[in-house]
Amino acid sequence: MLSDPVILVIKGLAGGGLVVTFALLSEGLSPKRFAGLFSAAPAVALAGLTVTLLDKGAHSAHENATGMVAGGAGMVAYAAAVVPLLRRVRAGGAAAIALVAWTAVAAIVALPILL
Amino acid sequence: MRQEPTITDRLDERPRFNPRKVAHTDRKALFYRFGAGALTSIAAGALTLAFGERVGGIFLAFPAILAASLTLIEKEEAPTDAREDARGATVGGAALALFAGVAALTLGHLAGALALLSATAAWLIAALIGYGALWWR
């Protein structure tokens, strides 16, 4: 049985590795809008759920995935909000401001999930 | 100068994959993306430990990777490319929510690997159908 810190490191390495894999795929794709599909690929989720499945079992992974539905809804709002923001501010600022959209929508969708 | 397409415009250019572009990927950009992915994964795991699995699960869909990508694309390519990437990510994000739904429905009922494979297939199929329905000319 691995300790929690070790599991976190494994999740980090797996998540980072999968993100790079999808990023490499996205780099080779065009047009940019098609490549953008893969900017929202489930890389972190696949890594996290796989490690959770192996470490804690299916019930824990199921609970993680249930919570993720709220985050996924937030992701749609984030991407939609960031496009007009990118016309007005630099990408770093737009990315930060759009987090308000992610947080608001994820919180609203999370309420029935968490209660 | 060619006008930038809007999110409702269909695109003439057909999707394609060029392996040479992959070979020329900037290593520093990959390092930043690795970092964003790793930090998001660790944060989701830490929040799971602190507040429970459902709360931690919310952050499995935290847009850190998209944020990192947009910053890098704007810097290395052009602001219009960053906006186009984000437009694509709206459909990818909707498919991501479907991934979560399929995973939540199948984990505990199917073998773990099959559940995740099903969810990933659902994401990919939904993303491709969404792209085709909205933007394929």
Side-chain angles (χ1 to χ4, degrees):
Chain A
M1 189 86 168
L2 297 173
S3 66
D4 287 337
V6 171
I7 292 294
L8 285 180
V9 169
I10 293 172
K11 282 183 175 178
L13 290 172
L18 272 179
V19 165
V20 165
T21 303
F22 278 105
L24 284 169
L25 174 63
S26 180
E27 282 288 318
L29 291 169
S30 57
K32 262 289 173 259
R33 194 177 295 187
F34 186 72
L37 297 177
F38 295 84
S39 291
V44 167
L46 276 169
L49 291 173
T50 301
V51 175
T52 299
L53 262 173
L54 295 170
D55 179 46
K56 297 264 191 301
H59 177 73
S60 293
H62 161 81
E63 291 291 292
N64 263 164
T66 303
M68 190 190 162
V69 173
M75 175 68 97
V76 179
Y78 178 91
V82 89
V83 174
L85 283 169
L86 283 169
R87 289 187 184 277
R88 291 166 176 78
V89 295
R90 297 296 301 267
I97 296 167
L99 280 176
V100 175
W102 182 85
T103 306
V105 172
I108 289 167
V109 176
L111 269 175
I113 291 173
L114 295 178
L115 290 175
Chain B
M1 192 152 101
R2 204 172 166 185
Q3 202 171 3
E4 182 178 340
T6 68
I7 198 166
T8 56
D9 284 339
R10 293 184 178 271
L11 303 179
D12 291 322
E13 189 180 352
R14 289 279 181 262
R16 62 184 186 279
F17 180 73
N18 184 350
R20 282 188 200 161
K21 285 171 75 177
V22 177
H24 290 113
T25 303
D26 179 40
R27 282 172 199 262
K28 204 162 136 188
L30 289 179
F31 177 77
Y32 284 134
R33 286 179 167 121
F34 180 90
L39 284 174
T40 306
S41 298
I42 291 170
L47 287 163
T48 295
L49 290 171
F51 301 110
E53 283 132 354
R54 289 196 179 188
V55 172
I58 295 170
F59 290 83
L60 290 177
F62 187 74
I65 294 92
L66 177 56
S69 293
L70 294 176
T71 312
L72 288 164
I73 291 168
E74 187 193 61
K75 191 177 161 188
E76 292 171 5
E77 300 177 49
T80 49
D81 286 341
R83 288 193 288 270
E84 276 293 284
D85 194 85
R87 290 181 184 110
T90 56
V91 169
L96 187 67
L98 179 64
F99 169 97
V102 171
L105 286 171
T106 55
L107 284 164
H109 296 99
L110 296 178
L114 189 56
L116 291 183
L117 194 63
S118 303
T120 305
W123 169 79
L124 184 62
I125 291 167
L128 293 175
I129 288 175
Y131 183 91
L134 292 170
W135 298 318
W136 191 281
R137 188 186 291 276

